[in-house]
Amino acid sequence: MAEAHPVGFQWVMEAKARGAKVYHIDPRFTRTSALADSYVPIRAGTDIAFLGGIVRYILENELDFREYVVAYTNAATIVSEDYRDTEDLDGLFSGFDRTNASYDQTSWQYEGQERNAVAHDTETQRETAAALQHESHGTAVGGDAERDETLRHPRCVYQILKRHFARYTPEMVERVCGTPREKFEEVARAWTENSGRERTSMLVYSVGWTQHSVGVQYIRTGAIIQLLLGNVGRPGGGILALRGHASIQGSTDIPTLFNLLPGYLPMPHHALHPTFDDWINGIRHPRQKGFWGNAKAYAVSLLKAYWGDAATPGNDFCYDYLPRMTGDHGTYQQVLNMIDGKVKGYFLLGQNPAVGSAHGKAQRLGMANLDWLVVRDLYLIESATFWKNSPEVETGEIVPEECRTEVFFIPAASHVEKEGTFTQTQRLLQWREKALDPPADCRSELWFFYHLGRIVRQKLAGSTRQRDRALLDLNWDYPTHGVHAEPSAEAVLREINGYEVATGRPLSMFTEMKDDGSTAGGCWIYCGVYADGVNQAARRKPGREQSWVAPEWGWAWPANRRILYNRASADPDGRPWSERKAFIWWDGDAGEWTGHDVPDFEKTKPPSYRPPAGAAGVEAIAGDDAFIMQGDGKGWLFVPAGVLDGPMPTHYEPAESPVRNPLYGQQANPIRKVYDQPVNPLNPSPPEASSHVFPYVFTVSRLTEHHTAGGMSRNVKYLTELQPEMFVEVSPELAAERGLTHLGWAHLVTSRTVIEARVLVTDRLTPLRVDDRIIHQVWLPYHWGYEGLSRGDSANDLFGITLDPNVLIQESKVGTCDVRPGRRPTGPAVLDLVADYYKRSGNLLAHYPPIVTTETASGREA
Amino acid sequence: MGVRTWIEGWPVYRQLTGTDPLGRGAAAKSARSETLTARTETADSVARSVCPYCAVGCGQRVYVKNGRVTQIEGDPDSPISRGRLCPKGAASKSLVTGDLRQQKVRYRRTYATEWEDLNLDTAMDMIADRVLAARDETWEDVDDAGRPLHRTMGIASLGGATLDNEENYLIKKLFTAMGALQIENQARI
Ligand code: SF4
């Protein structure tokens, strides 16, 4: 955090100055470690084993915050008797289907709900990254599950959790993670001792956590701990995801993602949602509690915002204009399709996949096989010049005279040359004022897309083809101003907020949205950002002039709440758990919830409220159901549906690992998303014999002085001066083993490519004893590429493409490689070196690692 | 220069005798720095902005004089950053004003080995033509079972996460209306 989110880290230091203890768990000793109370080393890719050890420590010693756990989590809920655990099946859960490597989730359901909760099969969910829709809500479960509040029933979640994690002992943590047992126990003690009624602990991760083939389950494990310890919805608690880019949260909320529409509404699927009603009912599950019960109002308002007057109840609000998914259309599938010649044109909008995405070579070969490419950026980044300067031009794999891709580089406006909102890592929207107009041909994305739409619509004017109706009927009237005819960002924000169609009055709250077409709104969770016709995101009341929650600085979704699920900061009766941690409470005299934040609960629903029999939606949320977006109102220790690789996290080795999984026969995530394509060979891993050819673990992350793929930092002279060169950090022991010298050169080889870097020999990396072997890890920054003031090889070129099945994010924080002294070969000799590795590891070309590696047949049990 | 002036010109003397015992303010000033004015004081305008790098969202003040950005500073009002910026945020004036920044459209023709110039309006028109052509060539109306698809798989897009919400909104809206489904973002990466 000190390294990649330095100014945010000031608050950690502030807490430390007031007595908080800071523990830093990382494969490498960093600037954060230097300021922490304790640094805890770990083998990259084993976080679930470490955190699973904490879960076991809590449960074996009964250190959970019992009142919180019983009231607010699903610990007491009884699970189907068909459920089988990884304990029974050697690392698989019940329902595993070998033929398509996916789970049937029926047996994971709550008792009595086995037949009504499965929306569609896991394979389709994986292909469409369906789990992403749950970013703002739970999945389909009925609100009326059976519970045993004594937590003794053998099939209650609490007992299942206890059995599942029983083998994650401190000895096992040491064996898997390489973390010394005392270090692990120090963290376990501190975390539990500092949680409960009077105290809270916070878990902070950076989004490298998501870049694993089990990324979602990493975060799930953190969530289980925080729920067991009563650290969710309370001040000083929670899980803080430190996102990496100025508005990456915004890019998920108002997504430019293939499977989502704004506000986490799903993009329709051709087979599941052929009709409007199928689509709506797929979002709001009948009988479910919570605010997703109103999904139709959110969806209709979006369609009204898109198609205005053309969207009527008679034509299902133009539902048929929406394109349909048929499977995985994610960025990696797209690139493989480009290589196969299926994609004609590609837009890159401030993004540099040639350096920033996994498997840089696949990215560049894909871009070299298009009809046309449009690059919008401040600088001539690597993705704009792949046809000229890429490593593949050096090896002869791309020949400029034979590369047909037509490239348009349209310079972009910078952040000071346009106005608009970023959503930062805590869901807070902040409006930026424009300082000046962009120079010369530079233009904002708002300008580019508004005018592209205008021109396209002009060219189609008069068309009678059905396919053009969606463009011609589009609500595309935005006022423009200034010399460049810049569209008004405020007008767009107002549309995002939503308004009453008849009067144009901006809505104040998403509860005002209607499902009859009388309201329009582009992103229901952002409703309120333009309440009263005022740009709430532009509020800048100085921090020192308001409370510590600072509610009048910017605007947070939803409804300006700064801590989600803050109902949980009070006990079931609505009293703060303790004076010290008071945040939101029930004021009986006034008959409403009050406190330091906007209550994340219906303002006047008393703690004693119990829903009438048969209630659904918002009405079904009881006065002590703190998790108001979940189908049963509870925080989930066990996930009965929606997380595709298991109802509870399980340690699997990374797709590329030098270690045989010490916990189960199953080596790696059995339902990870794989692309078995010639361009994407994977290094062998145990139990495959040739795994020793790539004996070292490598991991990558950021430097303070650079930003992601380097487009915004390697072109900036001060930053380049501060961190002038690509390098690799190695331990003194590995340097001795491989003959590497400090400040000399090394090259790293994987089955994709070879890259070189200057060597930094440092004890910031320690060899770890894992399962009775010494495992060496090396670390690289991933900022470099072949353009800019400072150039170097790209660390992301080393990775292959393997994805988390829930969200289709690639495993690009851990892999295996070989490390050799000296510089890499150049030109076609690069290909010869990689081919030699293929040969030594037993013809990788015809190879794909086995998905199921356990001896236990899953079918037998189920 | 008299001895007295000479002694009083010595910062340590001023630090020991004056009102600035830590030597961080008036005591440390030289005769030259006395005459300097901060760029922030003479700016024509100040915009309240936000750092474009990481997701902490530090407040920035952007100072403009004669149509140029002259300084970018941390915003002390921000309860998030309290006026601080890290090296990246502090270098963002160079990001905006750097010599390497491309200000003109560049065009690489099929099979060409060099860039060419191109007029922005022409480029926009050419891109619009290509979008429509790619869409027509790859349009899919219905699937095998006759269920609607209404899409093109011939167009793809990958956006960065420094895009504004308003920009993402228009991008998604336009592409969706075009039937372009393969719209992705750094948020997937
Ligand atoms: S100044 Fe640094 S810490 Fe603050 S938002 Fe910018 S990059 Fe992040």
Side-chain angles (χ1 to χ4, degrees):
Chain A
M1 186 176 183
E3 189 87 48
H5 299 89
V7 180
F9 195 69
Q10 69 175 306
W11 299 106
V12 176
M13 297 315 293
E14 190 109 322
K16 192 181 173 202
R18 295 197 200 174
K21 290 268 178 287
V22 182
Y23 292 85
H24 185 230
I25 306 165
D26 202 286
R28 161 176 167 261
F29 188 95
T30 71
R31 285 160 163 160
T32 312
S33 325
L35 292 164
D37 289 285
S38 190
Y39 164 68
V40 182
I42 188 171
R43 175 165 64 98
T46 65
D47 303 44
I48 291 174
F50 187 96
L51 297 172
I54 306 271
V55 175
R56 179 190 168 278
Y57 180 88
I58 296 168
L59 296 176
E60 294 294 320
N61 299 301
E62 302 217 15
L63 296 170
D64 53 286
F65 185 0
R66 187 59 56 91
E67 241 182 295
Y68 180 104
V69 166
V70 170
Y72 296 151
T73 77
N74 66 353
T77 311
I78 315 290
V79 172
S80 163
E81 58 182 354
D82 297 335
Y83 171 73
R84 293 291 172 280
D85 193 74
T86 49
E87 286 298 297
D88 314 314
L89 301 172
D90 203 15
L92 298 173
F93 291 96
S94 48
F96 186 70
D97 180 351
R98 273 168 191 270
T99 55
N100 61 2
S102 77
Y103 281 110
D104 172 350
Q105 299 167 21
T106 312
S107 63
W108 310 350
Q109 306 300 313
Y110 294 156
E111 174 131 295
Q113 299 189 351
E114 291 87 344
R115 290 292 149 213
N116 59 34
V118 184
H120 41 89
D121 71 276
T122 317
E123 196 181 3
T124 306
Q125 291 186 39
R126 175 174 59 204
E127 296 298 287
T128 58
L132 254 187
Q133 296 156 27
H134 314 316
E135 176 125 351
S136 65
H137 67 110
T139 55
V141 303
D144 48 0
E146 204 182 310
R147 290 167 63 80
D148 169 22
E149 301 210 337
T150 68
L151 306 185
R152 289 212 198 90
H153 190 294
R155 283 187 285 111
C156 79
V157 163
Y158 190 87
Q159 294 298 335
I160 287 177
L161 199 65
K162 197 166 168 178
R163 278 199 302 281
H164 177 77
F165 283 106
R167 64 171 71 193
Y168 292 64
T169 59
E171 297 75 22
M172 187 57 96
V173 170
E174 182 161 22
R175 203 175 135 202
V176 176
C177 309
T179 307
R181 185 184 164 150
E182 322 71 72
K183 279 278 177 194
F184 164 76
E185 285 175 337
E186 187 188 339
V187 177
R189 250 192 327 271
W191 202 338
T192 49
E193 282 170 8
N194 193 61
S195 304
R197 198 174 272 279
E198 294 288 336
R199 308 191 68 83
T200 52
S201 301
M202 179 179 281
L203 172 63
V204 181
Y205 73 87
S206 298
V207 289
W209 244 22
T210 63
Q211 296 173 336
H212 289 273
S213 54
V214 286
V216 166
Q217 296 283 15
Y218 269 27
I219 297 150
R220 284 278 316 133
T221 327
I224 289 170
I225 295 172
Q226 292 297 67
L227 284 170
L228 285 174
L229 296 178
N231 284 326
V232 180
R234 301 179 60 204
I239 301 181
L240 185 59
L242 290 174
R243 307 202 66 175
H245 305 248
S247 196
I248 194 153
Q249 181 64 49
S251 302
T252 333
D253 304 334
I254 299 186
T256 32
L257 295 169
F258 83 89
N259 57 332
L260 292 179
L261 288 161
Y264 303 95
L265 297 170
M267 193 58 111
H269 185 274
H270 75 128
L272 303 170
H273 311 125
T275 69
F276 179 66
D277 290 339
D278 295 331
W279 182 54
I280 297 294
N281 287 329
I283 312 171
R284 61 156 189 214
H285 310 283
R287 289 182 47 232
Q288 179 174 323
K289 290 189 187 185
F291 280 85
W292 278 99
N294 299 334
K296 187 175 181 190
Y298 315 145
V300 168
S301 294
L302 172 68
L303 297 177
K304 282 299 285 182
Y306 274 15
W307 285 293
D309 294 341
T312 64
N315 63 11
D316 286 338
F317 303 99
C318 299
Y319 174 68
D320 282 345
Y321 288 177
L322 291 174
R324 308 300 155 93
M325 303 188 288
T326 47
D328 166 17
H329 313 300
T331 183
Y332 289 98
Q333 182 65 61
Q334 288 170 22
V335 164
L336 297 171
N337 286 350
M338 287 175 203
I339 293 174
D340 291 344
K342 294 181 191 158
V343 179
K344 310 229 168 257
Y346 193 20
F347 289 88
L348 292 176
L349 316 170
Q351 184 71 0
N352 191 10
V355 179
S357 291
H359 204 335
K361 179 194 268 196
Q363 303 292 332
R364 296 183 293 264
L365 292 177
M367 289 190 279
N369 198 29
L370 295 163
D371 288 356
W372 48 269
L373 170 70
V374 176
V375 179
R376 302 254 315 126
D377 219 292
L378 302 171
Y379 294 89
L380 275 179
I381 52 172
E382 287 80 359
S383 299
T385 66
F386 66 89
W387 48 276
K388 206 172 188 251
N389 298 333
S390 65
E392 289 68 34
V393 173
E394 199 193 307
T395 57
E397 291 163 283
I398 296 176
V399 178
E401 292 82 355
E402 296 169 12
C403 170
R404 70 192 162 94
T405 309
E406 189 184 22
V407 184
F408 296 87
F409 179 89
I410 316 279
S414 76
H415 74 294
V416 303
E417 294 154 359
K418 58 186 184 184
E419 53 189 10
T421 52
F422 285 152
T423 305
Q424 57 80 278
T425 197
Q426 293 163 294
R427 312 178 321 282
L428 184 75
L429 283 81
Q430 300 185 92
W431 178 263
R432 296 187 327 277
E433 296 167 353
K434 184 169 97 170
L436 73 179
D437 280 323
D441 291 347
C442 301
R443 295 291 184 276
S444 69
E445 234 54 57
L446 207 64
W447 183 95
F448 181 83
F449 277 90
Y450 170 71
H451 288 285
L452 181 64
R454 183 183 55 78
I455 298 165
V456 162
R457 278 156 49 91
Q458 242 162 34
K459 286 182 188 279
L460 291 177
S463 163
T464 52
R465 298 189 308 182
Q466 184 56 30
R467 78 175 66 158
D468 297 332
R469 291 307 330 153
L471 276 166
L472 293 172
D473 288 342
L474 195 65
N475 192 6
W476 203 248
D477 250 352
Y478 298 100
T480 60
H481 60 271
V483 279
H484 301 316
E486 178 77 12
S488 158
E490 281 229 332
V492 178
L493 185 63
R494 195 177 155 279
E495 177 176 322
I496 291 171
N497 174 84
Y499 53 90
E500 209 171 60
V501 172
T503 61
R505 178 187 66 84
L507 305 177
S508 304
M509 176 71 182
F510 56 78
T511 46
E512 289 177 48
M513 286 185 164
K514 299 279 183 337
D515 64 8
D516 59 1
S518 62
T519 60
C523 181
W524 71 277
I525 56 175
Y526 279 21
C527 189
V529 68
Y530 216 83
D532 308 321
V534 175
N535 182 346
Q536 308 284 342
R539 295 181 305 165
R540 295 273 179 150
K541 184 166 177 180
R544 58 191 170 276
E545 290 171 22
Q546 46 175 330
S547 83
W548 54 277
V549 176
E552 291 173 76
W553 183 272
W555 184 87
W557 74 263
N560 204 28
R561 288 168 188 140
R562 304 298 166 116
I563 294 185
L564 282 181
Y565 297 128
N566 58 32
R567 162 71 181 87
S569 69
D571 69 13
D573 296 328
R575 295 175 307 233
W577 287 107
S578 64
E579 274 318 304
R580 201 170 168 271
K581 288 286 168 183
F583 197 57
I584 291 294
W585 54 90
W586 174 253
D587 179 341
D589 298 335
E592 62 176 35
W593 291 92
T594 182
H596 303 298
D597 195 2
V598 178
D600 196 1
F601 208 68
E602 284 168 279
K603 197 157 173 60
T604 57
K605 183 181 265 184
S608 57
Y609 171 83
R610 293 295 173 269
V618 181
E619 193 193 15
I621 301 171
D624 57 358
D625 278 336
F627 291 85
I628 59 168
M629 300 306 286
Q630 298 285 92
D632 57 356
K634 305 292 178 207
W636 283 358
L637 301 166
F638 176 100
V639 180
V643 178
L644 310 185
D645 43 4
M648 288 171 298
T650 304
H651 169 74
Y652 298 116
E653 287 292 320
E656 292 185 353
S657 166
V659 176
R660 180 77 176 112
N661 189 351
L663 277 152
Y664 310 98
Q666 180 57 34
Q667 169 75 6
N669 188 346
I671 77 155
R672 63 192 184 272
K673 172 75 184 174
V674 296
Y675 297 102
D676 188 357
Q677 303 239 359
V679 74
N680 188 38
L682 290 195
N683 299 351
S685 293
E688 294 181 285
S690 54
S691 58
H692 61 87
V693 176
F694 300 100
Y696 304 116
V697 174
F698 75 99
T699 182
V700 304
S701 62
R702 291 187 184 188
L703 296 164
T704 303
E705 298 80 3
H706 281 293
H707 192 57
T708 64
M712 290 168 71
S713 63
R714 279 183 294 104
N715 289 299
V716 175
K717 58 188 177 188
Y718 297 117
L719 298 174
T720 306
E721 193 178 331
L722 287 168
Q723 288 287 4
E725 206 166 3
M726 172 66 180
F727 60 97
V728 55
E729 290 195 7
V730 302
S731 68
E733 293 82 357
L734 179 62
E737 183 174 314
R738 298 305 271 157
L740 309 173
T741 45
H742 186 56
L743 303 184
W745 289 88
H747 54 290
L748 292 85
V749 193
T750 68
S751 54
R752 275 72 59 182
T753 195
V754 51
I755 69 160
E756 66 182 11
R758 297 296 286 268
V759 175
L760 184 67
V761 179
T762 167
D763 54 12
R764 296 197 289 232
L765 283 156
T766 340
L768 298 174
R769 175 162 290 280
V770 173
D771 212 7
D772 286 331
R773 284 164 64 191
I774 294 297
I775 295 288
H776 292 285
Q777 309 194 85
V778 305
W779 176 88
L780 307 123
Y782 67 91
H783 307 295
W784 270 269
Y786 46 87
E787 296 292 347
L789 288 168
S790 161
R791 298 170 194 179
D793 285 354
S794 299
N796 281 333
D797 283 11
L798 291 173
F799 288 107
I801 304 172
T802 302
L803 313 181
D804 176 287
N806 293 291
V807 288
L808 301 179
I809 294 178
Q810 76 290 335
E811 181 152 88
S812 59
K813 282 291 167 277
V814 58
T816 57
C817 66
D818 194 14
V819 181
R820 298 156 54 115
R823 304 198 68 160
R824 65 166 166 82
T826 54
V830 164
L831 303 178
D832 297 339
L833 178 70
V834 175
D836 182 51
Y837 273 81
Y838 279 17
K839 234 181 287 141
R840 287 205 281 131
S841 47
N843 192 12
L844 276 179
L845 275 182
H847 158 276
Y848 215 83
I851 300 298
V852 186
T853 50
T854 170
E855 298 289 298
T856 315
S858 62
R860 241 177 18 212
E861 286 284 338
Chain B
M1 186 190 290
V3 172
R4 187 187 166 84
T5 329
W6 181 74
I7 290 182
E8 283 179 356
W10 193 30
V12 173
Y13 172 84
R14 292 202 301 260
Q15 190 177 334
L16 293 175
T17 57
T19 54
D20 180 21
L22 294 175
R24 291 199 238 170
K29 279 192 179 164
S30 68
R32 178 166 146 66
S33 62
E34 289 281 7
T35 66
L36 297 178
T37 324
R39 273 170 299 193
T40 51
E41 278 170 32
T42 56
D44 298 334
S45 61
V46 189
R48 291 176 302 179
S49 190
V50 177
C51 174
Y53 289 97
C54 88
V56 171
C58 297
Q60 293 191 332
R61 290 187 183 173
V62 182
Y63 295 86
V64 176
K65 190 174 170 73
N66 299 328
R68 290 189 61 83
V69 175
T70 52
Q71 183 67 348
I72 297 182
E73 302 245 316
D75 185 348
D77 288 349
S78 166
I80 296 166
S81 55
R82 299 188 293 189
R84 285 122 164 131
L85 293 174
C86 83
K88 291 188 290 292
S92 54
K93 182 193 152 208
S94 294
L95 171 77
V96 174
T97 60
D99 304 336
L100 287 179
R101 186 166 164 204
Q102 278 296 326
Q103 303 195 359
K104 302 297 283 179
V105 173
R106 310 302 290 143
Y107 174 60
R108 188 251 177 182
R109 209 176 279 275
T110 300
Y111 307 127
T113 54
E114 283 307 326
W115 291 110
E116 299 172 32
D117 295 337
L118 189 67
N119 174 283
L120 177 60
D121 291 339
T122 314
M124 291 299 289
D125 202 62
M126 288 168 76
I127 293 167
D129 283 341
R130 279 153 185 72
V131 162
L132 288 174
R135 181 171 174 267
D136 276 351
E137 281 168 48
T138 58
W139 186 259
E140 299 172 63
D141 236 352
V142 288
D143 66 8
D144 295 342
R147 294 173 295 208
L149 289 176
H150 201 273
R151 70 179 190 189
T152 164
M153 299 296 279
I155 299 171
S157 171
L158 182 61
T162 310
L163 300 177
D164 295 345
N165 290 314
E166 296 75 14
E167 295 179 324
N168 269 323
Y169 182 78
L170 284 201
I171 294 167
K172 183 74 175 183
K173 185 174 178 179
L174 183 65
F175 277 134
T176 301
M178 253 177 218
L181 187 61
Q182 301 173 110
I183 308 308
E184 287 276 88
N185 184 280
Q186 168 69 35
R188 176 88 60 209
I189 294 165

